[in-house]
């Protein structure tokens, strides 16, 4: 019995005429072909790896961007709700909540008017709850850390009074947390 | 040796196939991704288009009936066609005869959702209705759905909230 390897290495005339011999010879690669095949393998693997890495990076960046955007919207809507929620029984906590979700001039304003706001709430027995009817980002700049949210909220008072109010809130990203930098009613229709 | 050769050829083929397959991976977000505000340019373009269409469509005066009708034919599609007719059909019909008018002043627009082919925009406005010499102004809140085909936005649906 002859070894197939020996047959193909020798390249005897009879091998070249028989089908199994041809198949064997064709199945083997010379050194240049083997090198080329190896190079193709390496390049293919490198291209695949590069594409997968860049695709993963793009998806990660996209996910981070949408998360930051959604966080800005959530903070804006929550802030508008907080500033329209009043409880005279917990007046100090109410103002603390306003202060906690604000920054800059708005926060300063809440701080300086705190005593007056608390007294006013208690005197009027003010109590309101607010829920967002609809809201969306009206501007957003992740690089500048600035955004604006427009929203319509329904505000219900303790004596069952009800009002739909429209607000635009300016937001600022303060060390990864979106806070209200400004809050204003939108051109009210009479 | 043959086994090694076969492995090498198989690896080359697999590697090449993988390379071609990964070349198809998109760099840009998929068409269904919500790119509202993460794609500032697309957001601004869609917002501007919706703002202009809303302003043109929802303000009717005796002088602007033909313009509004043309805008409706051009800028409305899908369910918005019937909805617009339901809300504005009678105003357009009697605008000339009774000097009826509706003016919409935009107060704010918020982009809620944006893909390559659709947008959902929150429209906050004031509307002033005039009839018989009397005017009444009230707040208006709309959710407008816009669709993009061949690079052009149309309002495909809207709901009064």
């Amino acid at each position: 019995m002859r070894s197939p390897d020996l047959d193909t290495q020798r390249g005897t005339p009879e091998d070249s005429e028989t089908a199994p011999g041809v198949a064997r010879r064709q199945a083997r690669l010379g050194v240049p072909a083997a090198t080329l095949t190896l190079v193709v393998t390496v390049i293919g693997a490198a291209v695949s790896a590069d594409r997968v890495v860049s695709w993963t990076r793009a998806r990660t960046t996209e996910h981070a961007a949408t998360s930051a955007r959604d966080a800005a919207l959530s903070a804006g809507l929550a802030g508008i709700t907080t500033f329209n929620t009043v409880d005279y029984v917990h007046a100090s906590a109410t103002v603390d909540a306003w202060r906690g979700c604000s920054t800059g001039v708005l926060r300063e304003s809440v701080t300086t008017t705190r005593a007056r706001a608390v007294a006013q709430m208690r005197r009027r027995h003010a109590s309101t709850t607010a829920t967002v009817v609809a809201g969306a980002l009206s501007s957003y700049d992740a690089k500048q850390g600035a955004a604006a949210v427009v929203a319509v909220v329904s505000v219900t008072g303790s004596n069952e009074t009800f009002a739909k109010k429209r607000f635009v809130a300016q937001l600022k990203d303060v060390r990864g947390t979106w806070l209200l930098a400004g809050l204003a009613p939108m051109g009210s229709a009479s | 040796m043959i086994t090694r050769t076969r492995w090498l050829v198989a690896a080359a083929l697999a590697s090449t196939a993988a390379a071609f397959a990964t070349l198809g991976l998109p760099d840009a977000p998929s068409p269904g991704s919500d790119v509202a505000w993460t794609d500032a340019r697309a957001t601004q373009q869609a917002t501007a288009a919706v703002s202009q269409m809303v302003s043109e469509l929802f303000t009717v005066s005796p002088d602007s009936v033909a313009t509004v009708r043309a805008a409706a034919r051009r800028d409305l599609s899908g369910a918005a066609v019937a909805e617009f007719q339901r809300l504005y059909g009678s105003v357009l019909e009697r605008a000339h005869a009774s000097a009826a008018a509706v003016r919409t002043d935009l107060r704010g627009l918020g982009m809620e959702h944006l893909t390559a082919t659709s947008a959902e925009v929150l429209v906050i406005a004031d509307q002033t209705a005039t009839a018989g010499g009397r005017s009444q102004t009230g707040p208006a809140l709309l959710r407008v759905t816009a669709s993009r085909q061949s690079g052009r936005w149309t309002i495909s649906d809207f709901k009064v909230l």
Side-chain angles (χ1 to χ4, degrees), chain A residues 27 29 37 40-41 44-45 48 51 55 59 62 69 137-138 166 186-187 189-190, chain B residues 5 12 15-16 18-19 25-27 34 36-37 107 109-111 125-126 137:
Chain A
L29 295 172
T37 310
V40 167
T41 306
S48 303
R51 289 299 302 144
W55 182 82
R59 295 292 80 77
E62 186 187 331
R69 174 201 65 194
L137 284 165
S138 61
R166 312 181 299 182
M186 294 175 71
S190 52
Chain B
T5 301
S15 175
T16 308
L25 290 173
D27 281 327
D34 180 6
W37 302 109
R107 297 300 180 200
L109 269 85
M111 181 62 73
D126 285 339
T137 301

PDB file of all heavy atoms in Angstrom, chain A residues 27 29 37 40-41 44-45 48 51 55 59 62 69 137-138 166 186-187 189-190, chain B residues 5 12 15-16 18-19 25-27 34 36-37 107 109-111 125-126 137:
ATOM      1  N   ALA A  27      -5.191  19.654  -4.214  1.00  0.00           N
ATOM      2  CA  ALA A  27      -5.532  19.971  -2.835  1.00  0.00           C
ATOM      3  C   ALA A  27      -4.352  20.564  -2.070  1.00  0.00           C
ATOM      4  O   ALA A  27      -4.521  21.168  -1.036  1.00  0.00           O
ATOM      5  CB  ALA A  27      -6.018  18.712  -2.118  1.00  0.00           C
ATOM      6  N   LEU A  29      -1.127  23.146  -1.661  1.00  0.00           N
ATOM      7  CA  LEU A  29      -0.749  24.477  -2.112  1.00  0.00           C
ATOM      8  C   LEU A  29       0.753  24.604  -2.073  1.00  0.00           C
ATOM      9  O   LEU A  29       1.408  24.092  -1.160  1.00  0.00           O
ATOM     10  CB  LEU A  29      -1.359  25.533  -1.197  1.00  0.00           C
ATOM     11  CG  LEU A  29      -2.872  25.644  -1.185  1.00  0.00           C
ATOM     12  CD1 LEU A  29      -3.302  26.592  -0.094  1.00  0.00           C
ATOM     13  CD2 LEU A  29      -3.372  26.101  -2.522  1.00  0.00           C
ATOM     14  N   THR A  37      -2.839  32.697   0.819  1.00  0.00           N
ATOM     15  CA  THR A  37      -4.030  32.288   1.565  1.00  0.00           C
ATOM     16  C   THR A  37      -3.971  32.790   3.004  1.00  0.00           C
ATOM     17  O   THR A  37      -4.958  33.286   3.559  1.00  0.00           O
ATOM     18  CB  THR A  37      -4.150  30.751   1.560  1.00  0.00           C
ATOM     19  OG1 THR A  37      -4.009  30.297   0.230  1.00  0.00           O
ATOM     20  CG2 THR A  37      -5.491  30.304   2.106  1.00  0.00           C
ATOM     21  N   VAL A  40      -4.581  36.514   3.029  1.00  0.00           N
ATOM     22  CA  VAL A  40      -6.028  36.776   2.858  1.00  0.00           C
ATOM     23  C   VAL A  40      -6.754  36.540   4.172  1.00  0.00           C
ATOM     24  O   VAL A  40      -7.624  37.324   4.582  1.00  0.00           O
ATOM     25  CB  VAL A  40      -6.606  35.878   1.733  1.00  0.00           C
ATOM     26  CG1 VAL A  40      -8.129  35.900   1.752  1.00  0.00           C
ATOM     27  CG2 VAL A  40      -6.094  36.342   0.377  1.00  0.00           C
ATOM     28  N   THR A  41      -6.377  35.445   4.858  1.00  0.00           N
ATOM     29  CA  THR A  41      -7.016  35.122   6.138  1.00  0.00           C
ATOM     30  C   THR A  41      -6.795  36.233   7.153  1.00  0.00           C
ATOM     31  O   THR A  41      -7.735  36.693   7.821  1.00  0.00           O
ATOM     32  CB  THR A  41      -6.432  33.800   6.694  1.00  0.00           C
ATOM     33  OG1 THR A  41      -6.559  32.796   5.707  1.00  0.00           O
ATOM     34  CG2 THR A  41      -7.160  33.381   7.974  1.00  0.00           C
ATOM     35  N   GLY A  44      -8.630  39.458   6.107  1.00  0.00           N
ATOM     36  CA  GLY A  44     -10.071  39.281   6.353  1.00  0.00           C
ATOM     37  C   GLY A  44     -10.404  39.405   7.824  1.00  0.00           C
ATOM     38  O   GLY A  44     -11.357  40.099   8.213  1.00  0.00           O
ATOM     39  N   ALA A  45      -9.595  38.779   8.643  1.00  0.00           N
ATOM     40  CA  ALA A  45      -9.832  38.830  10.090  1.00  0.00           C
ATOM     41  C   ALA A  45      -9.661  40.254  10.621  1.00  0.00           C
ATOM     42  O   ALA A  45     -10.436  40.719  11.461  1.00  0.00           O
ATOM     43  CB  ALA A  45      -8.868  37.884  10.798  1.00  0.00           C
ATOM     44  N   SER A  48     -12.640  42.372   9.552  1.00  0.00           N
ATOM     45  CA  SER A  48     -13.809  42.004  10.366  1.00  0.00           C
ATOM     46  C   SER A  48     -13.710  42.617  11.755  1.00  0.00           C
ATOM     47  O   SER A  48     -14.666  43.218  12.258  1.00  0.00           O
ATOM     48  CB  SER A  48     -13.912  40.484  10.502  1.00  0.00           C
ATOM     49  OG  SER A  48     -13.974  39.906   9.240  1.00  0.00           O
ATOM     50  N   ARG A  51     -14.249  46.402  11.711  1.00  0.00           N
ATOM     51  CA  ARG A  51     -15.646  46.783  11.481  1.00  0.00           C
ATOM     52  C   ARG A  51     -16.500  46.534  12.728  1.00  0.00           C
ATOM     53  O   ARG A  51     -17.349  47.341  13.087  1.00  0.00           O
ATOM     54  CB  ARG A  51     -16.233  45.994  10.300  1.00  0.00           C
ATOM     55  CG  ARG A  51     -15.700  46.404   8.954  1.00  0.00           C
ATOM     56  CD  ARG A  51     -16.005  47.857   8.636  1.00  0.00           C
ATOM     57  NE  ARG A  51     -17.422  48.123   8.677  1.00  0.00           N
ATOM     58  CZ  ARG A  51     -17.973  49.246   9.101  1.00  0.00           C
ATOM     59  NH1 ARG A  51     -17.202  50.228   9.545  1.00  0.00           N
ATOM     60  NH2 ARG A  51     -19.278  49.410   9.108  1.00  0.00           N
ATOM     61  N   TRP A  55     -18.339  49.419  14.727  1.00  0.00           N
ATOM     62  CA  TRP A  55     -19.804  49.306  14.826  1.00  0.00           C
ATOM     63  C   TRP A  55     -20.233  49.327  16.296  1.00  0.00           C
ATOM     64  O   TRP A  55     -21.172  50.034  16.668  1.00  0.00           O
ATOM     65  CB  TRP A  55     -20.273  48.004  14.152  1.00  0.00           C
ATOM     66  CG  TRP A  55     -21.764  47.826  14.168  1.00  0.00           C
ATOM     67  CD1 TRP A  55     -22.667  48.375  13.312  1.00  0.00           C
ATOM     68  CD2 TRP A  55     -22.523  47.047  15.096  1.00  0.00           C
ATOM     69  NE1 TRP A  55     -23.941  48.002  13.638  1.00  0.00           N
ATOM     70  CE2 TRP A  55     -23.894  47.176  14.727  1.00  0.00           C
ATOM     71  CE3 TRP A  55     -22.205  46.251  16.186  1.00  0.00           C
ATOM     72  CZ2 TRP A  55     -24.917  46.546  15.420  1.00  0.00           C
ATOM     73  CZ3 TRP A  55     -23.226  45.623  16.877  1.00  0.00           C
ATOM     74  CH2 TRP A  55     -24.564  45.773  16.491  1.00  0.00           C
ATOM     75  N   ARG A  59     -22.544  52.130  18.158  1.00  0.00           N
ATOM     76  CA  ARG A  59     -23.786  51.810  18.882  1.00  0.00           C
ATOM     77  C   ARG A  59     -23.713  52.303  20.333  1.00  0.00           C
ATOM     78  O   ARG A  59     -24.688  52.800  20.886  1.00  0.00           O
ATOM     79  CB  ARG A  59     -24.038  50.295  18.875  1.00  0.00           C
ATOM     80  CG  ARG A  59     -24.305  49.673  17.502  1.00  0.00           C
ATOM     81  CD  ARG A  59     -25.623  50.114  16.890  1.00  0.00           C
ATOM     82  NE  ARG A  59     -25.552  51.427  16.266  1.00  0.00           N
ATOM     83  CZ  ARG A  59     -24.997  51.655  15.087  1.00  0.00           C
ATOM     84  NH1 ARG A  59     -24.485  50.681  14.377  1.00  0.00           N
ATOM     85  NH2 ARG A  59     -24.950  52.883  14.585  1.00  0.00           N
ATOM     86  N   GLU A  62     -24.161  56.004  20.305  1.00  0.00           N
ATOM     87  CA  GLU A  62     -25.570  56.291  20.017  1.00  0.00           C
ATOM     88  C   GLU A  62     -26.421  56.077  21.265  1.00  0.00           C
ATOM     89  O   GLU A  62     -27.278  56.905  21.598  1.00  0.00           O
ATOM     90  CB  GLU A  62     -26.022  55.349  18.892  1.00  0.00           C
ATOM     91  CG  GLU A  62     -27.416  55.602  18.380  1.00  0.00           C
ATOM     92  CD  GLU A  62     -27.831  54.510  17.393  1.00  0.00           C
ATOM     93  OE1 GLU A  62     -26.961  53.933  16.725  1.00  0.00           O
ATOM     94  OE2 GLU A  62     -29.041  54.222  17.328  1.00  0.00           O
ATOM     95  N   ARG A  69     -30.126  62.410  26.205  1.00  0.00           N
ATOM     96  CA  ARG A  69     -31.287  63.169  25.719  1.00  0.00           C
ATOM     97  C   ARG A  69     -32.529  62.841  26.536  1.00  0.00           C
ATOM     98  O   ARG A  69     -33.248  63.741  26.982  1.00  0.00           O
ATOM     99  CB  ARG A  69     -31.519  62.820  24.243  1.00  0.00           C
ATOM    100  CG  ARG A  69     -32.776  63.415  23.647  1.00  0.00           C
ATOM    101  CD  ARG A  69     -33.212  62.662  22.420  1.00  0.00           C
ATOM    102  NE  ARG A  69     -33.609  61.304  22.745  1.00  0.00           N
ATOM    103  CZ  ARG A  69     -33.777  60.326  21.850  1.00  0.00           C
ATOM    104  NH1 ARG A  69     -33.561  60.565  20.581  1.00  0.00           N
ATOM    105  NH2 ARG A  69     -34.158  59.113  22.219  1.00  0.00           N
ATOM    106  N   LEU A 137     -38.718  67.890  24.195  1.00  0.00           N
ATOM    107  CA  LEU A 137     -37.556  68.772  24.111  1.00  0.00           C
ATOM    108  C   LEU A 137     -37.757  69.751  22.957  1.00  0.00           C
ATOM    109  O   LEU A 137     -38.123  69.346  21.846  1.00  0.00           O
ATOM    110  CB  LEU A 137     -36.284  67.960  23.846  1.00  0.00           C
ATOM    111  CG  LEU A 137     -35.690  67.192  25.030  1.00  0.00           C
ATOM    112  CD1 LEU A 137     -34.672  66.174  24.533  1.00  0.00           C
ATOM    113  CD2 LEU A 137     -35.030  68.151  26.018  1.00  0.00           C
ATOM    114  N   SER A 138     -37.547  71.028  23.223  1.00  0.00           N
ATOM    115  CA  SER A 138     -37.644  72.016  22.148  1.00  0.00           C
ATOM    116  C   SER A 138     -36.263  72.486  21.712  1.00  0.00           C
ATOM    117  O   SER A 138     -36.123  73.139  20.674  1.00  0.00           O
ATOM    118  CB  SER A 138     -38.497  73.210  22.581  1.00  0.00           C
ATOM    119  OG  SER A 138     -37.922  73.842  23.688  1.00  0.00           O
ATOM    120  N   ARG A 166     -48.999  75.967  30.522  1.00  0.00           N
ATOM    121  CA  ARG A 166     -47.950  75.663  29.547  1.00  0.00           C
ATOM    122  C   ARG A 166     -46.648  76.313  29.993  1.00  0.00           C
ATOM    123  O   ARG A 166     -46.640  77.489  30.376  1.00  0.00           O
ATOM    124  CB  ARG A 166     -48.354  76.180  28.172  1.00  0.00           C
ATOM    125  CG  ARG A 166     -49.765  75.777  27.808  1.00  0.00           C
ATOM    126  CD  ARG A 166     -50.193  76.247  26.459  1.00  0.00           C
ATOM    127  NE  ARG A 166     -50.199  77.685  26.291  1.00  0.00           N
ATOM    128  CZ  ARG A 166     -50.576  78.288  25.178  1.00  0.00           C
ATOM    129  NH1 ARG A 166     -50.958  77.590  24.136  1.00  0.00           N
ATOM    130  NH2 ARG A 166     -50.573  79.602  25.079  1.00  0.00           N
ATOM    131  N   MET A 186     -45.618  79.861  29.005  1.00  0.00           N
ATOM    132  CA  MET A 186     -45.562  80.168  27.570  1.00  0.00           C
ATOM    133  C   MET A 186     -46.728  81.061  27.203  1.00  0.00           C
ATOM    134  O   MET A 186     -47.864  80.751  27.559  1.00  0.00           O
ATOM    135  CB  MET A 186     -45.653  78.883  26.758  1.00  0.00           C
ATOM    136  CG  MET A 186     -44.463  77.994  26.962  1.00  0.00           C
ATOM    137  SD  MET A 186     -44.676  76.442  26.120  1.00  0.00           S
ATOM    138  CE  MET A 186     -44.524  76.965  24.443  1.00  0.00           C
ATOM    139  N   GLY A 187     -46.438  82.103  26.482  1.00  0.00           N
ATOM    140  CA  GLY A 187     -47.414  83.059  25.971  1.00  0.00           C
ATOM    141  C   GLY A 187     -48.857  82.617  26.161  1.00  0.00           C
ATOM    142  O   GLY A 187     -49.406  81.954  25.284  1.00  0.00           O
ATOM    143  N   ALA A 189     -52.720  82.090  26.345  1.00  0.00           N
ATOM    144  CA  ALA A 189     -53.900  82.540  25.601  1.00  0.00           C
ATOM    145  C   ALA A 189     -54.968  82.921  26.602  1.00  0.00           C
ATOM    146  O   ALA A 189     -55.196  82.214  27.568  1.00  0.00           O
ATOM    147  CB  ALA A 189     -54.401  81.409  24.718  1.00  0.00           C
ATOM    148  N   SER A 190     -55.588  84.039  26.398  1.00  0.00           N
ATOM    149  CA  SER A 190     -56.604  84.482  27.351  1.00  0.00           C
ATOM    150  C   SER A 190     -57.941  83.869  26.986  1.00  0.00           C
ATOM    151  O   SER A 190     -58.144  83.407  25.886  1.00  0.00           O
ATOM    152  CB  SER A 190     -56.718  85.991  27.346  1.00  0.00           C
ATOM    153  OG  SER A 190     -56.901  86.450  26.024  1.00  0.00           O
TER     154      SER A 190
ATOM    155  N   THR B   5      -3.741  22.138   4.505  1.00  0.00           N
ATOM    156  CA  THR B   5      -4.100  22.972   3.355  1.00  0.00           C
ATOM    157  C   THR B   5      -5.591  23.287   3.357  1.00  0.00           C
ATOM    158  O   THR B   5      -5.999  24.430   3.156  1.00  0.00           O
ATOM    159  CB  THR B   5      -3.747  22.241   2.042  1.00  0.00           C
ATOM    160  OG1 THR B   5      -2.361  21.974   2.059  1.00  0.00           O
ATOM    161  CG2 THR B   5      -4.112  23.084   0.831  1.00  0.00           C
ATOM    162  N   ALA B  12      -9.279  31.020   5.132  1.00  0.00           N
ATOM    163  CA  ALA B  12      -9.251  32.175   4.230  1.00  0.00           C
ATOM    164  C   ALA B  12     -10.652  32.509   3.737  1.00  0.00           C
ATOM    165  O   ALA B  12     -11.056  33.678   3.696  1.00  0.00           O
ATOM    166  CB  ALA B  12      -8.323  31.896   3.067  1.00  0.00           C
ATOM    167  N   SER B  15     -12.713  33.873   6.644  1.00  0.00           N
ATOM    168  CA  SER B  15     -12.245  35.217   6.983  1.00  0.00           C
ATOM    169  C   SER B  15     -12.741  36.249   5.963  1.00  0.00           C
ATOM    170  O   SER B  15     -13.184  37.338   6.308  1.00  0.00           O
ATOM    171  CB  SER B  15     -10.722  35.200   7.041  1.00  0.00           C
ATOM    172  OG  SER B  15     -10.240  36.482   7.239  1.00  0.00           O
ATOM    173  N   THR B  16     -12.659  35.854   4.675  1.00  0.00           N
ATOM    174  CA  THR B  16     -13.133  36.757   3.614  1.00  0.00           C
ATOM    175  C   THR B  16     -14.638  36.976   3.720  1.00  0.00           C
ATOM    176  O   THR B  16     -15.125  38.109   3.599  1.00  0.00           O
ATOM    177  CB  THR B  16     -12.792  36.167   2.223  1.00  0.00           C
ATOM    178  OG1 THR B  16     -11.405  35.845   2.207  1.00  0.00           O
ATOM    179  CG2 THR B  16     -13.095  37.153   1.114  1.00  0.00           C
ATOM    180  N   ALA B  18     -16.454  36.718   6.390  1.00  0.00           N
ATOM    181  CA  ALA B  18     -16.715  37.549   7.584  1.00  0.00           C
ATOM    182  C   ALA B  18     -16.432  39.016   7.293  1.00  0.00           C
ATOM    183  O   ALA B  18     -17.182  39.907   7.710  1.00  0.00           O
ATOM    184  CB  ALA B  18     -15.865  37.066   8.753  1.00  0.00           C
ATOM    185  N   ALA B  19     -15.337  39.258   6.547  1.00  0.00           N
ATOM    186  CA  ALA B  19     -14.982  40.638   6.205  1.00  0.00           C
ATOM    187  C   ALA B  19     -16.090  41.283   5.379  1.00  0.00           C
ATOM    188  O   ALA B  19     -16.509  42.415   5.657  1.00  0.00           O
ATOM    189  CB  ALA B  19     -13.666  40.665   5.445  1.00  0.00           C
ATOM    190  N   LEU B  25     -22.118  46.222   8.009  1.00  0.00           N
ATOM    191  CA  LEU B  25     -22.593  46.826   9.264  1.00  0.00           C
ATOM    192  C   LEU B  25     -22.663  48.345   9.108  1.00  0.00           C
ATOM    193  O   LEU B  25     -21.691  48.968   8.677  1.00  0.00           O
ATOM    194  CB  LEU B  25     -21.639  46.476  10.424  1.00  0.00           C
ATOM    195  CG  LEU B  25     -21.629  45.023  10.892  1.00  0.00           C
ATOM    196  CD1 LEU B  25     -20.509  44.811  11.911  1.00  0.00           C
ATOM    197  CD2 LEU B  25     -22.970  44.660  11.515  1.00  0.00           C
ATOM    198  N   PRO B  26     -23.792  48.937   9.444  1.00  0.00           N
ATOM    199  CA  PRO B  26     -23.927  50.377   9.217  1.00  0.00           C
ATOM    200  C   PRO B  26     -23.203  51.212  10.277  1.00  0.00           C
ATOM    201  O   PRO B  26     -23.199  50.847  11.451  1.00  0.00           O
ATOM    202  CB  PRO B  26     -25.439  50.596   9.313  1.00  0.00           C
ATOM    203  CG  PRO B  26     -25.905  49.512  10.223  1.00  0.00           C
ATOM    204  CD  PRO B  26     -24.994  48.354  10.030  1.00  0.00           C
ATOM    205  N   ASP B  27     -22.585  52.292   9.846  1.00  0.00           N
ATOM    206  CA  ASP B  27     -21.998  53.253  10.789  1.00  0.00           C
ATOM    207  C   ASP B  27     -23.094  54.141  11.355  1.00  0.00           C
ATOM    208  O   ASP B  27     -23.088  54.493  12.517  1.00  0.00           O
ATOM    209  CB  ASP B  27     -20.951  54.132  10.094  1.00  0.00           C
ATOM    210  CG  ASP B  27     -19.635  53.395   9.949  1.00  0.00           C
ATOM    211  OD1 ASP B  27     -19.325  52.583  10.844  1.00  0.00           O
ATOM    212  OD2 ASP B  27     -18.931  53.619   8.954  1.00  0.00           O
ATOM    213  N   ASP B  34     -34.552  56.324  16.890  1.00  0.00           N
ATOM    214  CA  ASP B  34     -35.039  57.660  17.247  1.00  0.00           C
ATOM    215  C   ASP B  34     -33.830  58.600  17.353  1.00  0.00           C
ATOM    216  O   ASP B  34     -33.040  58.503  18.285  1.00  0.00           O
ATOM    217  CB  ASP B  34     -35.781  57.590  18.584  1.00  0.00           C
ATOM    218  CG  ASP B  34     -36.323  58.942  19.014  1.00  0.00           C
ATOM    219  OD1 ASP B  34     -36.221  59.906  18.231  1.00  0.00           O
ATOM    220  OD2 ASP B  34     -36.854  59.026  20.136  1.00  0.00           O
ATOM    221  N   ALA B  36     -34.128  61.962  17.358  1.00  0.00           N
ATOM    222  CA  ALA B  36     -34.545  63.306  17.777  1.00  0.00           C
ATOM    223  C   ALA B  36     -33.478  63.905  18.680  1.00  0.00           C
ATOM    224  O   ALA B  36     -33.119  63.310  19.695  1.00  0.00           O
ATOM    225  CB  ALA B  36     -35.876  63.224  18.518  1.00  0.00           C
ATOM    226  N   TRP B  37     -32.946  65.031  18.273  1.00  0.00           N
ATOM    227  CA  TRP B  37     -31.949  65.808  18.997  1.00  0.00           C
ATOM    228  C   TRP B  37     -30.569  65.183  19.031  1.00  0.00           C
ATOM    229  O   TRP B  37     -29.601  65.887  19.284  1.00  0.00           O
ATOM    230  CB  TRP B  37     -32.408  66.140  20.423  1.00  0.00           C
ATOM    231  CG  TRP B  37     -33.694  66.906  20.398  1.00  0.00           C
ATOM    232  CD1 TRP B  37     -34.926  66.463  20.767  1.00  0.00           C
ATOM    233  CD2 TRP B  37     -33.890  68.239  19.913  1.00  0.00           C
ATOM    234  NE1 TRP B  37     -35.867  67.435  20.546  1.00  0.00           N
ATOM    235  CE2 TRP B  37     -35.257  68.529  20.029  1.00  0.00           C
ATOM    236  CE3 TRP B  37     -33.025  69.219  19.397  1.00  0.00           C
ATOM    237  CZ2 TRP B  37     -35.799  69.756  19.651  1.00  0.00           C
ATOM    238  CZ3 TRP B  37     -33.551  70.430  19.015  1.00  0.00           C
ATOM    239  CH2 TRP B  37     -34.924  70.694  19.153  1.00  0.00           C
ATOM    240  N   ARG B 107     -46.524  78.779  19.731  1.00  0.00           N
ATOM    241  CA  ARG B 107     -45.827  79.203  20.953  1.00  0.00           C
ATOM    242  C   ARG B 107     -44.617  78.337  21.225  1.00  0.00           C
ATOM    243  O   ARG B 107     -43.665  78.772  21.838  1.00  0.00           O
ATOM    244  CB  ARG B 107     -46.787  79.143  22.149  1.00  0.00           C
ATOM    245  CG  ARG B 107     -47.978  80.069  22.045  1.00  0.00           C
ATOM    246  CD  ARG B 107     -47.542  81.509  21.944  1.00  0.00           C
ATOM    247  NE  ARG B 107     -48.673  82.411  21.837  1.00  0.00           N
ATOM    248  CZ  ARG B 107     -48.583  83.643  21.369  1.00  0.00           C
ATOM    249  NH1 ARG B 107     -47.427  84.118  20.941  1.00  0.00           N
ATOM    250  NH2 ARG B 107     -49.649  84.414  21.301  1.00  0.00           N
ATOM    251  N   LEU B 109     -42.616  74.343  19.866  1.00  0.00           N
ATOM    252  CA  LEU B 109     -42.622  73.044  19.210  1.00  0.00           C
ATOM    253  C   LEU B 109     -41.612  72.136  19.918  1.00  0.00           C
ATOM    254  O   LEU B 109     -40.505  72.569  20.231  1.00  0.00           O
ATOM    255  CB  LEU B 109     -42.207  73.148  17.740  1.00  0.00           C
ATOM    256  CG  LEU B 109     -43.312  73.345  16.715  1.00  0.00           C
ATOM    257  CD1 LEU B 109     -43.636  74.807  16.596  1.00  0.00           C
ATOM    258  CD2 LEU B 109     -42.892  72.811  15.382  1.00  0.00           C
ATOM    259  N   GLY B 110     -42.015  70.928  20.144  1.00  0.00           N
ATOM    260  CA  GLY B 110     -41.092  69.975  20.748  1.00  0.00           C
ATOM    261  C   GLY B 110     -41.020  68.715  19.912  1.00  0.00           C
ATOM    262  O   GLY B 110     -42.050  68.162  19.529  1.00  0.00           O
ATOM    263  N   MET B 111     -39.807  68.305  19.599  1.00  0.00           N
ATOM    264  CA  MET B 111     -39.647  67.083  18.818  1.00  0.00           C
ATOM    265  C   MET B 111     -39.667  65.886  19.766  1.00  0.00           C
ATOM    266  O   MET B 111     -38.827  65.757  20.653  1.00  0.00           O
ATOM    267  CB  MET B 111     -38.312  67.120  18.057  1.00  0.00           C
ATOM    268  CG  MET B 111     -38.041  65.914  17.189  1.00  0.00           C
ATOM    269  SD  MET B 111     -39.232  65.681  15.855  1.00  0.00           S
ATOM    270  CE  MET B 111     -38.764  67.009  14.743  1.00  0.00           C
ATOM    271  N   ALA B 125     -49.753  76.025  20.765  1.00  0.00           N
ATOM    272  CA  ALA B 125     -50.125  77.227  20.008  1.00  0.00           C
ATOM    273  C   ALA B 125     -51.294  77.940  20.671  1.00  0.00           C
ATOM    274  O   ALA B 125     -51.917  77.421  21.599  1.00  0.00           O
ATOM    275  CB  ALA B 125     -50.497  76.826  18.585  1.00  0.00           C
ATOM    276  N   ASP B 126     -51.534  79.130  20.186  1.00  0.00           N
ATOM    277  CA  ASP B 126     -52.762  79.855  20.518  1.00  0.00           C
ATOM    278  C   ASP B 126     -53.582  79.927  19.240  1.00  0.00           C
ATOM    279  O   ASP B 126     -53.029  80.168  18.165  1.00  0.00           O
ATOM    280  CB  ASP B 126     -52.449  81.276  20.993  1.00  0.00           C
ATOM    281  CG  ASP B 126     -51.895  81.288  22.403  1.00  0.00           C
ATOM    282  OD1 ASP B 126     -52.125  80.298  23.127  1.00  0.00           O
ATOM    283  OD2 ASP B 126     -51.222  82.260  22.772  1.00  0.00           O
ATOM    284  N   THR B 137     -59.848  83.690  21.617  1.00  0.00           N
ATOM    285  CA  THR B 137     -58.529  83.055  21.592  1.00  0.00           C
ATOM    286  C   THR B 137     -58.441  81.983  22.674  1.00  0.00           C
ATOM    287  O   THR B 137     -58.930  82.169  23.792  1.00  0.00           O
ATOM    288  CB  THR B 137     -57.424  84.109  21.825  1.00  0.00           C
ATOM    289  OG1 THR B 137     -57.520  85.096  20.805  1.00  0.00           O
ATOM    290  CG2 THR B 137     -56.039  83.479  21.757  1.00  0.00           C
TER     291      THR B 137
END
